[in-house]
Amino acid sequence: MTVRKTALRADQHFSKLHRWLEMEGEAERQRLAQRRKIQSSEAAERTGETLLDLVIRNHTTGLGGRYLITLSKRRSPDRLPWHRFKVGSPILLSDDTDEDSESLQGVVSARRNDTLEIAVDDWPSGDRFRLDLSPDEISRKRQSSALQVGANASGRLGQLRDILLGEREPTFQKNVKIPGPISQRLNASQHQAIEHVLAANDLAIIHGPPGTGKTTTVVEAIRLMVARGERVLACAPSNTAVDNLLERLLAIGEPAIRLGHPARVSEDLRQHSLDVLAGRHESMMIVHQMMREAEQIERKAAKYTRGRPPAGFKGQQRQEARELKRQSRILEQQVVTELLRDARVICATTTFDDSILEDLKFDVLVIDEACQSVEPGCWVPLKKAHKLILAGDHLQLPPTILSDEARKEGFAVSLMERLVNHYGDMTTRQLTVQYRMHESIMAFSSETFYGNTLIADESVRQHVLSDLPRFQSDRISDEPVTFIDTAGTGWAEEIEPDGMSKRNPQEGELVMKQVNALCEAGLRPKDIAVIAPYAAQVRWLREHAVYDHLEIDTVDGFQGREKEAVVMSMVRSNEIGEVGFLSDARRMNVALTRAKRKLILVGDSATLGANDFFKTLLGWIEQNGSYRTAWEFAD
């Protein structure tokens, strides 16, 4: 059913977005300042946003002359503690032994269990280093600037702004011509979503619940738009999501250029980045030759000579060097412009530096994982587009917001969520067939979040662990959903020593027993995920894990991911029925939909059952899943 709400006033709306951006920036800066005041390494690293006592294990040069430095722990080089550093994250690198040392700015270029590789422009001073997640002020400035442009826009951007604020309605073509057949690998709901996108004149939304092939649908829509002669700007909020888009486009034979810092691009995809493509262009040999010649002239001009050169000679040499550099930059920009103008698809994060595109315009802007972006992020690429396509799931996790005040005022409401709530099915098509989960794992989320609209594809509908090679079903149940109740055990939650996050070590021991049982039955550790809502429990589980390739992370860290089996530790166990931010139903929707064949939930029903959502979940499990008690697993 179509929903309509009152239009927003442009001046008030953009003013709020500006204010929320400033509040978020201040929250990030305060958080960094507080982290840098903490002296204890254990306490400083607890948030996952700082790593201390790091040493350089290796380094290379590349990526435009930047240093690629591989860091690991000095005393425990085999594993890094749990952290939030991801490829593309902005970082500050500083001397760990000198509080007053200047920090180098850089980005994470690769991540492994035991090391982090970072890209920096200069070589760091010192022997032991500290790494901090850095506030991304550059992205925030781009967002603020884009909001100002959007608020004052006329022409096509002004029309789009009015549609996005509800002041005018989007329109659709009735008899849209599709350039060739839609892939037969896609299901009926995907076909309908693509037809809807192709018919849109202004705005269309693809709502993709977990496992429904949202990105596959987006990529097919892009292919067809390119086939009918349109130029597409394909964006996503994170570098990982952009790389996923690019990889899918390349897989179907659709060439694309990736914008952004090469260190933020997956190593396998860097050959498609603008920097690398430009570097390979035949004209760049001339550019490099001109730069070398300019440097030689500058050195010659600076060189001391016994004989006095003619008046003004050295000045002429310096002027000649400057002119050579200017000409080389012009030629380099011509190479970049040629590459970009020839590209039919360009991929970038939503907060990319749009000045590199100069006056280039795009017929369509596609934003995948749109619900993971704050609204100001979407306005950066919107300046370049004639039409907007959003794809995501507003019933999974919203954007991460550090400022509690900004979140309470509405900053966590993404542009897509706001538009779905405003326009309803006028602009939105939901995908309904999911290709990840056994139908029993899917069922609760389908009933609770998606109006019972999801259907498990035949390829996954009844798949279980015993279908996998070498798995011994006699060692562990094939039941897709199991809840293990710790009520009555006395395993109470606790605050992590010297911290604020919660953990439950005894529950953690039971979780690891379940992991061991899965592995002993033949499941590979890399096919298992252990999820916990609290960072303290994640740290405890990682410290006690015996398998190198077992992934343990928070719920947020697993959004968009999947594993054959998932074991989740609920942590909360107290006498007052307090579940904290477990009560965020969207976070639980993510947690409950990561498993393909087996989902094991471990928690205290007495505590969880005090919350309406969990009361419903526990009731569903009693009727449809496997209910067991912790006593059954006692030694």
Side-chain angles (χ1 to χ4, degrees):
M1 184 176 67
T2 299
V3 179
R4 291 289 191 281
K5 291 189 177 181
T6 306
L8 299 171
R9 279 188 53 181
D11 55 347
Q12 293 178 349
H13 184 65
F14 283 99
S15 176
K16 281 195 301 185
L17 293 177
H18 272 294
R19 190 176 78 256
W20 292 340
L21 266 182
E22 292 172 0
M23 291 161 66
E24 184 68 0
E26 182 58 29
E28 281 195 1
R29 289 187 289 272
Q30 288 181 3
R31 190 159 170 165
L32 175 61
Q34 289 169 357
R35 292 202 313 269
R36 294 180 75 86
K37 287 180 181 177
I38 300 173
Q39 300 300 314
S40 161
S41 61
E42 187 177 343
E45 293 180 340
R46 197 160 277 132
T47 63
E49 297 173 1
T50 296
L51 289 172
L52 302 180
D53 199 26
L54 299 170
V55 293
I56 296 174
R57 295 296 177 189
N58 194 10
H59 77 276
T60 58
T61 55
L63 304 176
R66 302 175 183 93
Y67 292 101
L68 297 180
I69 298 175
T70 301
L71 300 166
S72 70
K73 277 288 192 175
R74 181 170 64 96
R75 297 192 177 184
S76 51
D78 56 334
R79 174 174 288 195
L80 291 172
W82 173 79
H83 60 82
R84 300 181 187 274
F85 294 89
K86 299 178 181 178
V87 173
S89 296
I91 56 91
L92 293 174
L93 181 70
S94 54
D95 188 336
D96 200 9
T97 62
D98 183 1
E99 292 182 19
D100 299 321
S101 67
E102 289 190 12
S103 299
L104 284 179
Q105 292 185 323
V107 297
V108 176
S109 51
R111 167 179 167 154
R112 300 174 185 84
N113 287 338
D114 56 344
T115 61
L116 274 179
E117 181 188 82
I118 62 170
V120 290
D121 291 331
D122 300 304
W123 186 258
S125 60
D127 298 315
R128 291 160 51 190
F129 300 96
R130 171 193 182 112
L131 204 62
D132 288 285
L133 277 178
S134 169
D136 195 352
E137 298 292 352
I138 294 175
S139 292
R140 200 156 12 252
K141 287 178 181 177
R142 290 173 185 163
Q143 292 176 69
S144 182
S145 174
L147 289 176
Q148 193 163 352
V149 171
N152 300 312
S154 57
R156 182 53 181 162
L157 181 57
Q159 293 173 348
L160 284 176
R161 177 201 59 216
D162 293 346
I163 290 168
L164 299 183
L165 297 183
E167 292 181 2
R168 67 166 76 187
E169 290 193 345
T171 61
F172 297 84
Q173 303 171 43
K174 289 187 177 179
N175 297 306
V176 63
K177 186 175 180 181
I178 298 176
I182 299 175
S183 172
Q184 292 304 306
R185 296 181 294 106
L186 275 60
N187 61 59
S189 69
Q190 290 173 314
H191 278 238
Q192 291 165 8
I194 290 170
E195 290 168 357
H196 181 64
V197 163
L198 295 176
N201 293 319
D202 315 288
L203 168 70
I205 298 173
I206 299 174
H207 177 200
T212 53
K214 169 184 56 62
T215 302
T216 300
T217 308
V218 168
V219 166
E220 179 68 1
I222 292 173
R223 182 187 72 81
L224 291 168
M225 288 187 284
V226 171
R228 68 181 186 184
E230 294 175 301
R231 184 196 294 273
V232 179
L233 177 58
C235 294
S238 71
N239 286 283
T240 301
V242 176
D243 286 346
N244 185 34
L245 260 180
L246 175 58
E247 192 170 26
R248 301 284 192 94
L249 286 164
L250 296 171
I252 64 168
E254 195 62 59
I257 292 180
R258 172 73 154 90
L259 301 187
H261 194 311
R264 291 177 169 172
V265 181
S266 168
E267 196 170 345
D268 295 337
L269 298 171
R270 282 178 189 162
Q271 60 182 315
H272 302 282
S273 69
L274 179 61
D275 286 45
V276 173
L277 290 171
R280 290 176 179 170
H281 195 281
E282 56 186 14
S283 296
M284 290 302 290
M285 291 180 62
I286 301 173
V287 171
H288 295 320
Q289 185 177 342
M290 292 170 72
M291 289 297 291
R292 284 195 297 271
E293 188 176 342
E295 289 170 3
Q296 288 171 358
I297 293 172
E298 284 181 332
R299 283 197 296 270
K300 188 175 180 180
K303 192 174 181 180
Y304 172 78
T305 57
R306 288 178 179 271
R308 176 175 292 183
F313 178 73
K314 287 184 178 291
Q316 290 176 354
Q317 286 185 312
R318 293 189 181 97
Q319 177 61 34
E320 184 181 348
R322 284 195 293 269
E323 180 62 19
L324 273 172
K325 286 185 176 181
R326 188 183 72 82
Q327 292 292 338
S328 70
R329 284 193 291 269
I330 291 173
L331 183 55
E332 187 175 30
Q333 185 56 50
Q334 289 174 347
V335 169
V336 169
T337 300
E338 179 185 328
L339 287 168
L340 293 175
R341 289 194 184 279
D342 289 344
R344 302 311 302 171
V345 182
I346 291 177
C347 298
T349 57
T350 49
T351 54
F352 73 106
D353 179 7
D354 65 331
S355 66
I356 198 168
L357 297 177
E358 296 185 322
D359 61 346
L360 278 181
K361 297 292 184 181
F362 295 82
D363 300 290
V364 187
L365 165 63
V366 176
I367 302 181
D368 196 14
E369 304 295 354
C371 296
Q372 292 292 291
S373 172
V374 291
E375 183 171 332
C378 297
W379 285 93
V380 175
L382 257 172
K383 295 183 292 181
K384 297 289 183 180
H386 183 81
K387 179 170 77 174
L388 173 63
I389 308 300
L390 299 173
D393 183 6
H394 55 289
L395 300 175
Q396 294 188 62
L397 285 172
T400 300
I401 306 297
L402 295 182
S403 168
D404 290 336
E405 188 177 353
R407 183 175 58 252
K408 290 174 183 176
E409 289 185 16
F411 198 30
V413 178
S414 66
L415 175 64
M416 177 175 157
E417 181 180 359
R418 183 168 65 73
L419 292 173
V420 168
N421 290 335
H422 183 85
Y423 287 117
D425 57 12
M426 178 185 184
T427 57
T428 306
R429 294 294 180 272
Q430 183 196 314
L431 306 180
T432 58
V433 181
Q434 67 85 17
Y435 299 88
R436 174 186 299 161
M437 297 163 274
H438 187 288
E439 64 179 355
S440 294
I441 299 174
M442 171 200 78
F444 179 77
S445 282
S446 180
E447 292 176 16
T448 306
F449 297 97
Y450 305 105
N452 232 356
T453 57
L454 298 188
I455 302 166
D457 184 71
E458 191 60 34
S459 62
V460 301
R461 189 172 66 84
Q462 291 291 322
H463 70 177
V464 291
L465 289 178
S466 61
D467 295 334
L468 296 172
R470 297 181 299 279
F471 190 84
Q472 303 172 38
S473 58
D474 59 324
R475 303 291 297 272
I476 196 163
S477 166
D478 256 344
E479 191 71 42
V481 181
T482 299
F483 179 79
I484 303 177
D485 195 353
T486 66
T489 60
W491 299 349
E493 65 191 57
E494 63 182 36
I495 298 293
E496 186 180 35
D498 301 321
M500 295 297 292
S501 184
K502 293 178 174 61
R503 69 182 189 182
N504 192 324
Q506 290 166 303
E507 181 178 289
E509 290 175 4
L510 179 53
V511 166
M512 298 315 298
K513 281 184 181 179
Q514 298 306 304
V515 171
N516 293 338
L518 288 165
C519 292
E520 289 168 4
L523 195 59
R524 298 175 300 182
K526 71 176 185 178
D527 292 327
I528 305 170
V530 177
I531 299 178
Y534 291 93
Q537 187 75 344
V538 169
R539 279 189 286 274
W540 188 95
L541 290 164
R542 285 192 173 196
E543 290 168 4
H544 293 80
V546 296
Y547 301 102
D548 289 337
H549 298 292
L550 174 69
E551 286 197 63
I552 305 172
D553 211 335
T554 58
V555 180
D556 304 51
F558 274 102
Q559 173 131 328
R561 308 280 309 286
E562 61 183 38
K563 292 285 185 177
E564 298 291 353
V566 169
V567 186
M568 182 175 183
S569 172
M570 300 291 191
V571 179
R572 302 308 298 263
S573 179
N574 52 69
E575 295 181 354
I576 59 174
E578 174 60 53
V579 299
F581 71 92
L582 270 182
S583 60
D584 183 345
R586 289 187 292 186
R587 178 169 274 102
M588 284 305 302
N589 186 28
V590 172
L592 296 172
T593 55
R594 301 306 96 197
K596 297 164 71 173
R597 302 171 191 262
K598 181 78 172 180
L599 173 63
I600 301 174
L601 305 171
V602 183
D604 180 348
S605 65
T607 297
L608 298 174
N611 174 270
D612 289 341
F613 174 83
F614 282 101
K615 185 176 181 180
T616 303
L617 173 61
L618 293 170
W620 183 91
I621 290 173
E622 287 182 2
Q623 290 186 343
N624 302 280
S626 170
Y627 178 89
R628 304 183 68 179
T629 70
W631 303 109
E632 298 176 50
F633 301 94
D635 292 331

